[in-house]
Amino acid sequence: MELIYTGKTKDVFKLENELFLLKFKDDVTGENGVFDPGANTVGLTIDGAGLAGLKLTSFFYSKLNQLNVPTHYVEANFDEATMTVKPATVFGKGLEVICRFKAVGSFLRRYGAYATEGQDLDSFVEVTIKDDERLDPPISEDALAMLGILTHDEYTILKQRTIEISKFVAAELEKKGLTLYDIKLEFGRDAKTGEILLIDEISGGNMRAYQGDTYIEPLQLEKIMLAE
């Protein structure tokens, strides 16, 4: 295996069969020791977070593949905390797509003069550029097209898929008595076909889930969702 990228929460290796291997770490995003799925820095390390994230990611991706939602997921190895994926190229230098059902986090920080904490949002989708130096700034559809990052048609697909996938995740959480407040997804183009694929992970590390008014930590979320 060839290490080609070291990320905040995963390392990426290239395999000889043209597939890639993601190695999940115990690092999670946040600031000053407080977990925040929308943060662009590693805030803390939680023992077992990597494997928990992988197990939940495998759970969601397996279901999405069965529903014929295009993803990069191939298989997972829980013993090694790794996931095998198809090659995909990111949009520009990488985008993050957030779907919000409740007003919390950075949305509330930006629009607090108009929004109240926990206010219902109608599957609000926003795109941010992965750029640590500039604190992952939000970007509009027109700007994405003008800068050649993606086309208007691709944005339409991106937004539609984000809402569909996020509502699917929310419905799965609801089966366990949980409410999804927001979730961060990533997409890329299939390296061979150009088809838009869901990539990266779907885990407690990139969403906010609540049980009533109580926030559910990533490891606890995995236990609740995967309990028989």
Side-chain angles (χ1 to χ4, degrees), residues 18-35:
E18 298 186 352
L19 298 176
F20 288 79
L21 194 75
L22 308 184
K23 173 69 173 179
F24 283 62
K25 304 177 183 179
D26 286 340
D27 296 332
V28 298
T29 56
E31 294 181 1
N32 302 318
V34 178
F35 168 71

Side-chain angles (χ1 to χ4, degrees), residues 50-64:
L51 181 57
L54 173 61
K55 287 182 176 180
L56 203 51
T57 296
S58 177
F59 170 81
F60 284 120
Y61 268 113
S62 296
K63 288 180 175 289
L64 289 168

Side-chain angles (χ1 to χ4, degrees), residues 163-179:
I163 293 173
E164 290 174 350
I165 293 167
S166 300
K167 286 185 174 181
F168 161 78
V169 173
E172 291 295 317
L173 265 63
E174 190 175 1
K175 293 176 183 178
K176 299 289 187 176
L178 305 176
T179 301

Side-chain angles (χ1 to χ4, degrees), residues 30 32 45 65 82 88 102 152-153 171 173 184 213:
N32 302 318
T45 299
N65 282 357
T82 60
K102 299 280 189 179
H152 287 289
D153 287 343
L173 265 63
K184 177 177 65 180
D213 295 328

